[in-house]
Amino acid sequence: DKTYRTTVPTWVAQDENGEEAELEVAPTDLMAVAAAVLVVVADWQTGHADPFLNNVIALSIACELLEAISLESYVTAVAVSVGLLTYDYLAVFKTVGLANVISGVSSAGGTGDSIMVSVAKQVSGPLKIIFPSSNPNATYPFSILGLGDIVVPALTTSLCLRVDKALQVEGKREATPGARPLFLSAIAGYALGLVLTVVGFNATQSAQPALIYICPSIIVLTSVTALVRREFGSLL
């Protein structure tokens, strides 16, 4: 592919010697920048109110986060997942009505939204994925999936994919094209977690912290897969 070379001022980027950095730009890079500018301008023009544009920007942020962050061990992945799902649980279930108290709105019996739900509803920005609500009588017309509900499980999922590849490269597993059992079990765990989240919401008609369903599902399925394949030591 054809690329263009240019230099950028030192206040933008520097090379290892502190001089002007040389930048290689491909036509696809220019197209990506143009598309990004169009999406951002369109989102600004609509007052951050268009669900599609919000989701495009939010997913782009999630992808950038996954490129910048990676976990080095399964133990770390489990620890991060457990810590954040605990926070998610407390923020959703143990702060019900507190948002009203903080805002000065009285609520009988400690009812109302939790801090987490209140922030998710009120913050206008690409910090969440928005779907039309399946409940026509809902006071809030959208279902919400936070970026954390995507990025945190994806960190474990990407780790499983790296372990799959490493086992094949090291010769500890037959190099079968497309064979990614740990990665696929993590994907299945994520799908199962989302289904359980929806079931929990429909059963209680209240907001559910998705991570308390997603993280255990991924951990259980990937661990069972590794144990069955006698690869749990390699996974750790």
Side-chain angles (χ1 to χ4, degrees):
D1 292 341
K2 185 177 181 180
T3 59
Y4 304 93
R5 291 178 178 271
T6 185
T7 56
V8 295
T10 55
W11 59 270
V12 175
Q14 299 179 5
D15 62 16
E16 60 274 10
N17 298 318
E19 303 294 334
E20 292 183 341
E22 187 176 76
L23 185 67
E24 289 189 359
V25 181
T28 51
D29 296 326
L30 299 176
M31 293 171 61
V33 170
V37 170
L38 288 175
V39 170
V40 171
V41 170
D43 182 62
W44 177 70
Q45 289 290 335
T46 58
H48 313 294
D50 186 89
F52 175 76
L53 294 174
N54 173 88
N55 293 349
V56 168
I57 298 175
L59 289 174
S60 299
I61 293 173
C63 290
E64 286 299 315
L65 287 173
L66 291 173
E67 285 191 11
I69 304 172
S70 64
L71 301 178
E72 297 301 322
S73 74
Y74 191 69
V75 174
T76 303
V78 171
V80 169
S81 298
V82 171
L84 290 177
L85 75 86
T86 301
Y87 164 78
D88 220 16
Y89 169 81
L90 295 174
V92 172
F93 289 140
K94 298 303 181 180
T95 62
V96 174
L98 187 57
N100 288 345
V101 174
I102 294 174
S103 62
V105 178
S106 62
S107 56
T111 58
D113 288 334
S114 65
I115 291 292
M116 180 77 80
V117 174
S118 179
V119 170
K121 288 181 178 180
Q122 295 178 18
V123 172
S124 176
L127 302 177
K128 57 198 175 187
I129 305 298
I130 302 173
F131 307 94
S133 176
S134 58
N135 182 2
N137 300 319
T139 56
Y140 187 71
F142 299 107
S143 295
I144 299 171
L145 187 66
L147 286 190
D149 301 327
I150 298 173
V151 174
V152 174
L155 291 173
T156 304
T157 303
S158 61
L159 173 65
C160 289
L161 179 60
R162 295 201 305 273
V163 172
D164 277 327
K165 291 184 176 180
L167 288 172
Q168 291 190 359
V169 171
E170 295 171 3
K172 297 179 180 179
R173 181 196 292 169
E174 184 179 351
T176 304
R180 301 286 187 269
L182 297 176
F183 172 71
L184 293 178
S185 64
I187 293 294
Y190 189 82
L192 175 60
L194 288 179
V195 170
L196 293 175
T197 303
V198 174
V199 170
F201 171 77
N202 289 330
T204 63
Q205 289 301 306
S206 62
Q208 299 294 304
L211 288 183
I212 71 170
Y213 301 101
I214 295 173
C215 290
S217 297
I218 292 177
I219 292 170
V220 169
L221 288 186
T222 52
S223 297
V224 169
T225 301
L227 287 170
V228 169
R229 297 180 59 86
R230 299 181 180 179
E231 297 173 342
F232 194 70
S234 299
L235 180 61
L236 295 178

